């Protein structure tokens, strides 16, 4: 692996843990490393290291912290191929996607460096003329960052880069099934010269290491990306801390009868098959007008048939295995449930253990899906496009709104006013008109709609920097004379 380091990284040192757990290659089922299975005591020592480093890092000049982010970006770029290889081996995504993910991670550090130099407070008028009032932004302190396995380089960077830039220190607990690549990213950050204790990596189970971070009194803020169920638990256990929660989605892609069907099919398939569908903003379901549903399904099947499922390192492979047994079981359960309840599987629909492990699942198109099927209601998180037909705009909107989630939506129509009307009516964080649900760039706001199970707050660009800083109002009594001068 990149740098050959595998362990916890606490206070600037790589440390082993008495108890370990295996890192597995999902394409073969083979063990690729033994990693720490950390205890709560180990988390406590990481929090102590982060707390000890916090005052110095918080008062390190902003331009120095920005320089550090630029240096980390260069270190990530320098290790790109090695990190990407660990990413493909451990997560299962094809190598080209892994290389793209690592390249974007370096961009994330550069973006944080640019933005933090522009982030300021305000001066504000006051009723009392003797006051000079200003706001400043300060780091929140020690961040607990808990991340999932689907983008195990990019998602951590969405928190680590702004945390470093804004002067926070961090205890980071990655998902157990992608902790080796976390070590590779951590090693690149170390190589760039980040001072000891600013970012501390603790590998372990969510219910132990993750929970210990959430409840620790010296953790002042939490950044979490993962499932809605875990997010809700963290919101309870971490009550009183500043929370950024990026949770699940079940993004509809709505295709009206006047849409460009080629563009809609390409976007819907792309959003369902990229990263084998393990994307929070994936095409969770396609809502298609009855008059175009046959034609759209034909096009979706054609897209599915272009995919080559197999080892992520083989030339020509376009889709690797799912990451773990839990997600593979859920994907199969949702497809089987739909088929048993009258939906038609037009393409795929089965696991392919003959390809090397139980985690391969065929790119799948299912039509005649109805409202109450699990595949429509729940987040499937696999390479599956469920198609639900609707009759008119009101029914399309009703189907879209009938969901616990509100993360991202795609709407295809040539009537842009209708697209904007639908966009305004759906309580999701992101609605893309004439693009799929996955379209997003790292400087743009990303997050779940209020009152849904998709999360709390916004990541992306300046939004994360603002979320990771405390807004403080300072008033200075300067007297009438100075105020009026
Ligand atoms: P998960 O909730 O099972 O795990 C996420 C992380 O939380 C892991 O590191 C895990 O170890 C940890 N964790 C588990 N239990 C915990 C606990 N009790 N206390 C503290 N930490 C705990 O989710 P997952 O299966 O790893 O990831 C997939 C989910 O993430 C999907 O639902 C997906 O939609 C969501 N996701 C959301 C976004 C977004 O930005 N909205 C992005 C990617 C993934």
């Amino acid at each position: 692996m990149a740098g050959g380091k595998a362990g916890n990284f606490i206070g600037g040192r790589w440390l082993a843990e008495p108890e370990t757990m295996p890192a597995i290659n999902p394409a073969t089922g083979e063990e690729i490393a033994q990693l720490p299975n950390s205890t709560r005591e180990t988390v406590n020592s990481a929090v102590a290291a982060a707390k000890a480093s916090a005052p110095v890092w918080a008062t390190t000049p902003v331009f120095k912290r920005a320089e550090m982010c630029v240096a980390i970006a260069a270190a990530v770029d320098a290790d790109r191929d090695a990190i990407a290889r660990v990413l493909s081996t451990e997560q299962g995504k094809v190598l080209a996607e892994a290389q793209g993910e690592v390249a974007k991670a370096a961009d994330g550090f550069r973006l944080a460096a640019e933005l933090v130099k522009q982030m300021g407070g305000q001066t504000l008028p006051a009723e009392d003329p003797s006051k000079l009032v200003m706001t400043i932004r300060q780091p929140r302190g020690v961040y607990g960052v808990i991340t999932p396995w689907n983008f195990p380089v990019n998602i951590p960077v969405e928190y680590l880069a702004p945390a470093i830039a804004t002067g926070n220190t961090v205890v980071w607990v990655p998902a157990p099934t992608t902790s080796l690549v976390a070590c590779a990213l951590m090693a690149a950050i170390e190589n760039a010269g980040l001072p000891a204790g600013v970012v501390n990596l603790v590998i372990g189970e969510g219910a132990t290491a993750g929970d210990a971070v959430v409840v620790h009194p010296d953790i002042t803020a939490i950044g979490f990306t993962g499932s809605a169920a875990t997010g809700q638990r963290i919101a309870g256990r971490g009550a009183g801390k500043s929370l950024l929660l990026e949770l699940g989605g079940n993004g509809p892609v709505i295709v009206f009868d006047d849409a460009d069907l080629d563009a809609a099919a390409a976007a819907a398939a792309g959003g369902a098959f990229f990263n084998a569908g393990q994307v929070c903003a994936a095409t969770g379901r396609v809502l298609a007008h009855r008059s175009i549903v046959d034609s759209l399904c034909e096009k979706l099947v054609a897209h599915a048939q272009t995919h080559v499922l197999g080892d992520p390192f083989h030339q020509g492979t376009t889709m690797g295995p799912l990451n773990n047994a839990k997600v593979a079981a859920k994907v199969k359960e949702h497809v089987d449930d739909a088929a048993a309840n009258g939906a038609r599987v037009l393409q795929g629909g089965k696991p392919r253990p003959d390809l090397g492990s139980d985690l391969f699942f065929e790119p799948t198109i299912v039509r005649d899906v109805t409202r109450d099927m699990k595949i429509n209601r729940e987040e499937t998180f696999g390479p599956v496009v469920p198609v639900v037909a609707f009759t008119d705009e009101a029914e399309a909107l009703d189907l879209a709104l009938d969901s616990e989630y509100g993360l991202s939506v795609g709407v295809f129509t040539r009537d842009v006013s209708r697209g904007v009307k639908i966009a305004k009516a759906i309580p999701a964080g992101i609605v893309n008109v004439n693009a799929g649900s996955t379209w997003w760039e790292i400087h743009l706001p990303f997050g779940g709609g209020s009152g849904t199970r998709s999360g709390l707050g916004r990541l992306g660009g300046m939004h994360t920097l603002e979320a990771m800083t405390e807004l403080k109002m300072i008033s200075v009594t300067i007297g009438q004379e100075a105020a009026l001068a």
Side-chain angles (χ1 to χ4, degrees), residues 25-27 320-328 351-353 357-361:
N25 176 341
L322 295 164
N323 175 254
N324 57 68
K326 194 171 139 206
V327 70
R352 289 287 304 277
S357 83
D358 291 343
L359 301 180
F360 289 94
F361 199 92

Side-chain angles (χ1 to χ4, degrees), residues 419-433:
V420 172
K421 190 170 111 191
I422 297 274
K424 288 186 173 175
I426 299 181
I430 299 168
V431 182
N432 295 317
V433 178

Side-chain angles (χ1 to χ4, degrees), residues 273 300-309 316 318 347 363:
F273 299 145
L300 288 168
V301 166
H303 279 284
Q305 287 173 343
T306 63
H307 277 280
V308 180
L309 189 62
T318 62
Q347 177 70 31

Side-chain angles (χ1 to χ4, degrees), residues 146-150 155 173-176 206-207 210-211 224-227 230 233-234 246-249 280 326 379 381 407 446:
I146 303 173
T147 51
W149 44 263
N150 58 337
I155 291 174
V173 180
D211 186 67
F224 170 76
T225 298
S227 64
T230 308
R233 189 181 163 83
I234 288 175
E246 294 294 332
L247 310 179
C280 53
K326 194 171 139 206
E379 183 187 45
F381 224 57
L407 187 59
F446 188 100

Side-chain angles (χ1 to χ4, degrees), residues 186-267:
M186 191 70 246
I189 294 173
E190 179 194 19
N191 291 342
L194 186 72
V198 174
V199 175
N200 303 274
L201 171 70
V202 182
I203 296 170
E205 297 289 349
T208 313
D211 186 67
V213 165
V214 171
V215 298
H216 199 295
D218 290 336
I219 294 280
T220 46
I222 297 168
F224 170 76
T225 298
S227 64
T230 308
Q232 271 176 344
R233 189 181 163 83
I234 288 175
R237 303 272 292 160
K241 300 173 195 272
S242 165
L243 298 176
L244 250 178
L245 302 175
E246 294 294 332
L247 310 179
N250 190 20
V253 173
I254 309 170
V255 186
F256 284 100
D257 48 355
D258 63 345
D260 175 340
L261 292 191
D262 287 327

